[in-house]
Amino acid sequence: MNRRRFLSLTGATLGAASLPAFALAPPSEPFTFLFFTDAHLQPELNGVLGTGMAFRHGRTIKADFAINGGDHVFDSNAVSKPRATQLYDLYGKTEQDLGLKMYHVLGNHDVFAVTPSNTVSINDNLYGKNLYEERFGKTYYSFDHKGCHFIVLDSIVVNADRSYEGMVDAAQLQWLSADLAALPPHMPVIVAIHYPVVTAFVQYEAAKPSLDSRRGLSLINSNEVIDRFTGYNVIGVLQGHTHVNELVVWKGVPYHTCGAVSGNWWHGTRMGTPEGFTVVEVANGKMATRYETYGFRSIEPQNT
């Protein structure tokens, strides 16, 4: 090798070493995962049976893992401690029917004793989000899978008067900004949350006199979350809570509100959406979904 060629190669090596530590994200490998939400598992109305049916049907689909979008049980808000722990126990046993790694999202019905009528002490070791955290871990976190970054958000704020509302609090917003800022440029991002960030649900309901139709239905600070997605490759947001199957694209981001495992709270279809779950396919930097029903029949149908 002549001296000029040697110096050329040496310069190229040094130049590469001086580049920033991060580089463009590698192409993500195609994969499939499942999104179950709003099982509202309960012994009544065959809720345990139905949830098990959904998980066993999910087992027949080749998927890498699953995400539960919240409201695992029905309900932890207004019940005693023995009832709440019983429901969580039943859910834990039923989830084993799936046979896949499950990531969990906190739902409003998963928080314990958070309703003004509940007499359980707020100092109880399981009060609020503590029962959920004992069973499933952190309420917000992120992870990577095959070149795709997943962010799980906690959309529940517990108030001093033992009420709750849909909001991503200030500390979590700061964490979200830092988590996104640490990503390689153009890395695909998928977000999972319980309360919808964006939804057209009010268009499906009958007219209401309330001036604040969003409260109780979606995040009250949606704009603060949406603003943090700007400049990042968010290829999809998976949501629950309303029990309808819906897709809204806003500012280039697809917001998929997914139908409920429990349908109309185990009473049949919810605004035409039957009991089911969502199959999510990620390929070529895009996220696609399809809704999968699993054959449950309500013993007390009240279809809407």
Side-chain angles (χ1 to χ4, degrees):
M1 181 183 295
N2 63 40
R3 184 172 181 273
R4 179 176 296 177
R5 176 64 174 160
F6 174 78
L7 290 174
S8 175
L9 290 173
T10 302
T13 302
L14 291 173
S18 66
L19 290 173
F22 61 85
L24 294 181
S28 58
E29 180 183 343
F31 63 94
T32 299
F33 68 96
L34 309 178
F35 187 78
F36 299 89
T37 191
D38 294 272
H40 290 272
L41 180 142
Q42 59 181 23
E44 297 78 23
L45 297 173
N46 284 340
V48 176
L49 171 66
T51 305
M53 288 175 63
F55 288 157
R56 287 191 295 274
H57 186 73
R59 194 167 189 156
T60 68
I61 299 168
K62 187 177 180 180
D64 288 12
F65 62 89
I67 298 175
N68 189 313
D71 282 358
H72 299 66
V73 300
F74 192 71
D75 134 307
S76 287
N77 305 149
V79 301
S80 66
K81 189 172 181 175
R83 169 71 175 189
T85 55
Q86 176 203 29
L87 291 172
Y88 269 84
D89 288 344
L90 285 171
Y91 175 83
K93 292 177 182 177
T94 307
E95 187 186 282
Q96 295 176 23
D97 290 339
L98 180 60
L100 282 176
K101 165 69 176 176
M102 181 78 86
Y103 295 93
H104 297 273
V105 181
L106 178 69
N108 53 298
H109 288 287
D110 297 326
V111 292
F112 172 53
V114 180
T115 186
S117 63
N118 201 310
T119 58
V120 172
S121 171
I122 62 173
N123 296 316
D124 189 279
N125 66 314
L126 296 182
Y127 176 76
K129 301 178 184 181
N130 292 338
L131 175 56
Y132 174 93
E133 290 180 297
E134 178 186 86
R135 300 302 178 96
F136 301 129
K138 294 179 179 180
T139 62
Y140 61 92
Y141 54 94
S142 61
F143 64 94
D144 294 336
H145 184 78
K146 292 184 176 178
C148 188
H149 188 67
F150 285 80
I151 296 175
V152 173
L153 294 177
D154 174 355
S155 59
I156 316 300
V157 168
V158 177
N159 299 316
D161 64 354
R162 300 179 74 136
S163 65
Y164 60 79
E165 56 192 341
M167 183 169 68
V168 175
D169 64 23
Q172 189 178 173
L173 287 171
Q174 185 176 4
W175 171 87
L176 175 60
S177 295
D179 188 78
L180 288 167
L183 295 179
H186 310 302
M187 186 172 193
V189 177
I190 295 175
V191 178
I193 190 169
H194 184 68
Y195 269 90
V197 181
V198 173
T199 177
F201 185 83
V202 293
Q203 301 299 318
Y204 318 141
E205 289 189 305
K208 291 184 176 181
S210 170
L211 296 177
D212 189 0
S213 58
R214 188 168 69 172
R215 187 171 295 276
L217 174 65
S218 62
L219 291 185
I220 62 176
N221 65 334
S222 294
N223 289 345
E224 292 185 282
V225 176
I226 294 167
D227 288 348
R228 281 159 176 80
F229 294 161
T230 302
Y232 297 99
N233 186 22
V234 180
I235 64 172
V237 177
L238 296 167
Q239 315 172 137
H241 190 58
T242 63
H243 296 217
V244 299
N245 199 33
E246 168 194 74
L247 171 61
V248 177
V249 179
W250 178 243
K251 295 186 176 181
V253 176
Y255 292 84
H256 298 248
T257 308
C258 301
V261 171
S262 64
N264 189 28
W265 289 267
W266 302 115
H267 285 292
T269 61
R270 166 69 163 164
M271 295 188 174
T273 301
E275 303 87 354
F277 59 91
T278 300
V279 180
V280 187
E281 296 178 346
V282 180
N284 300 317
K286 302 291 184 181
M287 187 183 90
T289 63
R290 75 172 189 268
Y291 194 62
E292 191 87 11
T293 57
Y294 60 91
F296 181 80
R297 295 290 180 268
S298 172
I299 60 173
E300 193 177 290
Q302 299 172 15
N303 297 312
T304 60

